[in-house]
Amino acid sequence: VNMRRDMKCIVESARGNLATASKAAHVYAGHPNYQGANAEISRLTYNPLPALQADNNLLGPKAGEVRLKKGNFLGVISTSTSYKLSFELTLFGRVSSWGSVLHFSADSNIASEHDRIPGIWTFPGDTRLHFRSATSGNYNDGCDPTMKLELNKKYRIQVSADALSNTLSVKINHKQVCSSKASGLLAKGHSKVFVWAADPWYEPANGQIAQVYYRKF
């Protein structure tokens, strides 16, 4: 039995309903209330979900460029209503579907106002960015720049949500390329938000990222 694969599936399927940590949890192999499987296990390990910190590189302090991969889970972070998310992005090609770059979600793809806080994709067959950040009026609110990114060129991207002005905006190489009024109140911060690069619901964008920073304000 590939326990590493199976345990990973269990954790991912339960990500929206995590229990509070316990100091005295019981571990069974197998459970006393059920018939044991006709199998054996070995090298079973338990590791808590990695905790990410705002104002630190979410890829790790010594991380370089990271190739985007479907279902690449980075860790759990606490978010705020107002934020700035910045990262370096290099695209190597186009993908035929929405291409996931980064996705912050407390539960799933788009079931609640905490599921895209934010999410960034590339347009199908294009290099334009698609920035979504949920609000009370629209779980898929956002702001889409018209600028097309050149392939094999590194860009500094910043997406932000500002509760004071109730706006969503995008900067590319420090120049604002998109800004829009939110259709409702910006989603409130959440204590347990999963960070993906790329998410498990879409194909990954054909590219790599580096220097990913989430800042509250």
Side-chain angles (χ1 to χ4, degrees), residues 90-210:
T90 305
L91 295 177
F92 303 123
R94 301 167 180 83
V95 294
S96 59
S97 60
W98 295 104
S100 175
V101 178
L102 284 162
H103 194 155
F104 288 56
S105 170
D107 187 7
S108 60
N109 176 29
I110 188 171
S112 78
E113 67 175 23
H114 292 115
D115 286 343
R116 294 186 172 192
I117 52 173
I120 300 99
W121 294 262
T122 54
F123 272 79
D126 207 336
T127 60
R128 288 178 56 205
L129 293 180
H130 181 58
F131 163 50
R132 304 288 94 182
S133 194
T135 66
S136 60
N138 183 359
Y139 297 164
N140 200 39
D141 212 343
C143 181
D144 293 339
T146 59
M147 177 180 175
K148 296 178 183 286
L149 304 185
E150 296 180 27
L151 298 181
N152 303 303
K153 180 178 179 180
K154 183 184 294 184
Y155 291 89
R156 187 67 188 175
I157 310 297
Q158 178 184 286
V159 299
S160 62
D162 187 342
L164 185 61
S165 60
N166 207 41
T167 57
L168 303 169
S169 60
V170 180
K171 289 184 178 180
I172 298 179
N173 290 343
H174 309 289
K175 179 181 179 180
Q176 184 164 292
V177 292
C178 183
S179 180
S180 65
K181 280 285 185 180
S183 61
L185 298 177
L186 300 180
K188 295 180 179 179
H190 198 282
S191 61
K192 291 182 179 178
V193 174
F194 293 78
V195 183
W196 307 89
D199 70 30
W201 302 286
Y202 296 88
E203 292 303 311
N206 183 4
Q208 66 185 21
I209 57 173

Side-chain angles (χ1 to χ4, degrees), residues 79-96:
T79 63
S80 63
T81 302
S82 295
Y83 65 83
K84 293 180 180 179
L85 172 64
S86 62
F87 56 97
E88 294 176 354
L89 173 64
T90 305
L91 295 177
F92 303 123
R94 301 167 180 83
V95 294
S96 59

